[in-house]
Amino acid sequence: MANQIKVRLGSQGRVVIPSRMRRTLGLREGETLIAYVEDGRLVLETRRHILKLLQEHFAEIASEISLADELIAERHEETT
């Protein structure tokens, strides 16, 4: 992993993302990152990256299919 940089956990659990990585990712001061634990790793993602992944995932669904209508139909079936 050539892009590794050692960072330290500071007071109150703070981690500084090195400027080179912030520039590479296009991160700006005040930007919101989504943090989660996956397979024992801490993962930080931008909202725009998550949105891009979701758009790519749902782009495979045919445009004539309404996911909202399918969900409503499923809920209706569950109650009858």
Side-chain angles (χ1 to χ4, degrees):
M1 297 185 145
N3 294 327
Q4 290 183 346
I5 297 174
K6 186 189 299 187
V7 296
R8 293 191 191 279
L9 189 62
S11 64
Q12 299 179 353
R14 294 181 178 156
V15 174
V16 174
I17 301 170
S19 61
R20 185 173 67 190
M21 288 183 166
R22 292 193 313 267
R23 280 192 304 273
T24 298
L25 295 170
L27 298 176
R28 302 283 185 245
E29 182 179 336
E31 185 163 0
T32 299
L33 298 174
I34 308 303
Y36 58 94
V37 175
E38 180 178 273
D39 297 325
R41 300 176 300 126
L42 171 63
V43 179
L44 297 173
E45 289 187 304
T46 61
R47 293 172 59 105
R48 69 178 170 271
H49 178 73
I50 292 171
L51 178 61
K52 178 184 171 213
L53 293 176
L54 287 171
Q55 288 171 336
E56 289 172 357
H57 176 76
F58 287 105
E60 299 172 8
I61 298 172
S63 60
E64 64 272 3
I65 296 174
S66 169
L67 295 179
D69 289 342
E70 286 188 11
L71 179 62
I72 291 168
E74 286 177 13
R75 295 300 184 259
H76 181 71
E77 287 177 22
E78 291 173 0
T79 61
T80 58

